[in-house]
Amino acid sequence: MSRELLDQLLAGTLRDPDSGDFLPSPDCSIVIERDLGRRASQLVEPLSLGHRLAVVMDEATQDVLGDRVCGSLATAFDVDQIVLGDHPHPDMQNVSLVIEATSEADALIAVGSGSINDITKYAAHLTRRPFAVFGTAPSMNGYTSVSAAITDRGLKQSLPATLAKGVFLDLDVMAAAPKRLIAAGFGDSMARSTAQTDWLLANLILGTPYREAPFMLLRDDEQALIEHAESLIHFDITSIELLIRTLVLSGLGMTLCGGSYPASQGEHLIAHYLDMRGDDLPPAHHGEHIAITTLTMARLQADLLRRPTLQLATIAESENDFKT
């Protein structure tokens, strides 16, 4: 069902459950198929990105997919290759590095997953240039979102960014990703439950806006994804495609809402704090943090919802103490 929903959304023929109007079609080409690296030129040409492209990757993603993407693009474009070091951190230092290294390019092409996608997306956003991404792992839902998780002066934030013009996800490359990255994508997708609860509670208690549309996109396939979770790490293309679609639709849900609200709430705040602690904790992927913090938030929410009454607390702007 998700495949049909994705097709309808991209075609502009999917109804908004909140308003009854047609949901706006995102200005993004999304392809989830096999053997996309060698077809990179064919996929990118219709996007009208300009003639000089900067391909941003790291050492690992260059070997996995980057060289094939660059080779194909070079048949139709001038290509600059920007290879970041091993495991680049998505921070302003790397964003600035990419901006400087790609200053002559008309557009940016990311080849990677979480960190590379966020770094490239935010660099393109700050310089008002289009970008596209060739994903290398089903590790997070940010491929189709309009935000980038960037650390600036020690503080990790979800910053406004621009939607990719093209999102190209090769099933074979995704299925061959490290098992921990695949597990991280599954963990990231499980945050739907606590994010929706937090967002709905904010609506009911504080009157903040809330929408059902992003959750409608995920509802039909979530249980199937849970039932096929074990198959994800055994090169099962069908299960990997299910995970990829779920992550893509989650990102599009954020894009429809203009922010990360439907997929990032209390569980992400905790995870961002863990990430900012750096060397104090064992290395972990974002989705691995989310898998744990989602369980933490679920317990907190369950305790909250069992209470007969609630009392709101705020922090005064000029003081550090709580007021109720």
Side-chain angles (χ1 to χ4, degrees):
M1 182 61 75
S2 279
R3 182 180 301 174
E4 295 174 10
L5 288 176
L6 178 57
D7 290 342
Q8 291 175 36
L9 179 61
L10 294 176
T13 59
L14 186 63
R15 292 282 183 182
D16 186 339
D18 300 298
S19 68
D21 298 329
F22 288 114
L23 289 166
S25 175
D27 183 19
C28 178
S29 173
I30 301 173
V31 181
I32 306 170
E33 294 177 10
R34 307 180 88 152
D35 197 28
L36 297 185
R38 292 184 178 85
R39 295 163 48 197
S41 178
Q42 173 189 346
L43 294 168
V44 170
E45 279 187 292
L47 304 182
S48 300
L49 300 183
H51 189 69
R52 186 166 182 176
L53 306 179
V55 180
V56 183
M57 47 199 164
D58 62 25
E59 295 170 0
T61 62
Q62 180 183 21
D63 292 338
V64 169
L65 185 60
D67 285 338
R68 274 180 286 164
V69 168
C70 289
S72 177
L73 291 176
T75 63
F77 302 91
D78 291 335
V79 177
D80 299 326
Q81 297 188 35
I82 313 300
V83 183
L84 302 181
D86 190 32
H87 300 298
H89 195 266
D91 54 31
M92 282 305 300
Q93 181 178 350
N94 276 316
V95 170
S96 299
L97 187 156
V98 167
I99 289 175
E100 182 178 356
T102 64
S103 60
E104 300 299 319
D106 298 313
L108 279 59
I109 307 290
V111 180
S113 56
S115 295
I116 291 293
N117 179 67
D118 282 333
I119 292 167
T120 308
K121 179 194 299 187
Y122 200 55
H125 175 75
L126 291 179
T127 55
R128 299 184 179 183
R129 289 177 292 175
F131 91 105
V133 57
F134 286 81
T136 56
S139 55
M140 50 89 215
N141 58 8
Y143 290 120
T144 51
S145 77
V146 287
S147 61
I150 300 294
T151 300
D152 185 13
R153 290 168 289 186
L155 179 63
K156 187 166 185 178
Q157 308 171 68
S158 291
L159 300 174
T162 306
L163 181 65
K165 289 293 186 181
V167 175
F168 308 116
L169 306 174
D170 187 302
L171 287 168
D172 293 305
V173 172
M174 293 289 210
K179 291 181 179 181
R180 284 187 63 180
L181 286 175
I182 296 172
F186 179 79
D188 203 23
S189 70
M190 290 299 100
R192 191 282 311 162
S193 56
T194 53
Q196 183 176 7
T197 301
D198 265 3
W199 201 25
L200 180 56
L201 283 171
N203 169 259
L204 296 174
I205 298 172
L206 302 174
T208 58
Y210 171 82
R211 295 183 65 181
E212 280 289 336
F215 308 114
M216 173 195 69
L217 298 176
L218 301 170
R219 191 170 296 136
D220 291 332
D221 275 349
E222 185 172 283
Q223 188 58 42
L225 179 61
I226 293 171
E227 292 172 357
H228 290 82
E230 188 175 352
S231 301
L232 291 171
I233 58 173
H234 296 297
F235 202 81
D236 184 84
I237 292 292
T238 301
S239 299
I240 289 292
E241 184 175 4
L242 177 60
L243 174 60
I244 293 170
R245 268 203 324 272
T246 298
L247 295 170
V248 164
L249 286 167
S250 177
L252 289 174
M254 291 188 277
T255 295
L256 286 172
C257 296
S260 60
Y261 327 110
S264 174
Q265 293 283 342
E267 73 293 321
H268 274 69
L269 288 177
I270 302 170
H272 287 176
Y273 173 73
L274 292 174
D275 189 65
M276 288 187 292
R277 289 187 59 179
D279 295 338
D280 290 348
L281 296 171
H285 298 296
H286 167 75
E288 292 176 315
H289 280 160
I290 296 302
I292 300 301
T293 59
T294 294
L295 295 175
T296 300
M297 275 307 303
R299 288 191 290 268
L300 292 171
Q301 290 169 346
D303 177 69
L304 180 71
L305 293 171
R306 280 194 294 264
R307 299 182 182 187
T309 60
L310 295 175
Q311 187 174 32
L312 297 180
T314 60
I315 299 178
E317 290 184 6
S318 59
E319 304 173 13
N320 291 324
D321 58 324
F322 284 95
K323 290 187 175 182
T324 59

